Amino acid sequence: MSLHNLDNLYRQTIMAYAQHPHHYKPMLGTEGYHIQKYNPTCGDVIDLAFNMVDDRVTDIHFYGDGCAISKASASMMTDLVVGKNRDQMMQLVDQFSKMARGEASDVKSLGEAQVLAGVTKFPTRIKCATLAWHALDELLSVEK
Ligand code: ZN
């Protein structure tokens, strides 16, 4: 498989997630955790919210207006962390941040989100890919 085809496969996966994002629904206003993040470089806005029950995330969902990469990334992230506890989520955030910076990372733990490793070649898109993960990171740093 040539690199061109590989890039194509990544692009198709990203577009599929962006067009039919998982866990995409408006905020209810009753979630235990909620944050809005904005990426001025691209104009992406994302709301992320979830509840924690017995240290595990439930009802995670996101909403907002953004480019395909930001939506796909949020979609993949929510798929990945559902049912995870705080430590597991912080580990995933760490792995994803490393991958986005082009550092060695346990990409297998990131599931589908590892296709976003391709964005590290495009510095302006890194903020699109990491937006949802920064939102999660900030919510996890809040003590409840
Ligand atoms: Zn973007």
Side-chain angles (χ1 to χ4, degrees), residues 42 44 67 125 128:
C42 177
D44 311 312
C67 66
R125 309 315 298 273
C128 304

Side-chain angles (χ1 to χ4, degrees), residues 39 41-44 66-70 124-125 127-129:
N39 168 22
T41 322
C42 177
D44 311 312
C67 66
I69 291 175
S70 71
T124 55
R125 309 315 298 273
K127 284 182 180 164
C128 304

Side-chain angles (χ1 to χ4, degrees), residues 37 48 50 57 60 73 76-78 80-81 84-107 109-111 113 126 129-141:
K37 293 287 279 180
L48 177 70
F50 57 81
V57 71
I60 191 163
S73 184
M76 292 166 178
M77 184 274 283
T78 52
L80 203 57
V81 303
K84 298 277 195 298
N85 67 29
R86 186 180 288 264
D87 286 349
Q88 291 169 323
M89 286 194 282
M90 289 176 89
Q91 236 164 25
L92 289 168
V93 169
D94 186 52
Q95 296 299 346
F96 190 86
S97 304
K98 280 184 181 155
M99 183 184 79
R101 288 195 300 263
E103 295 169 13
S105 156
D106 173 19
V107 290
S109 68
L110 296 171
I126 293 176
T130 54
L131 188 65
W133 298 80
H134 284 154
L136 178 64
D137 192 32
E138 269 188 47
L139 284 179
L140 292 174
S141 338

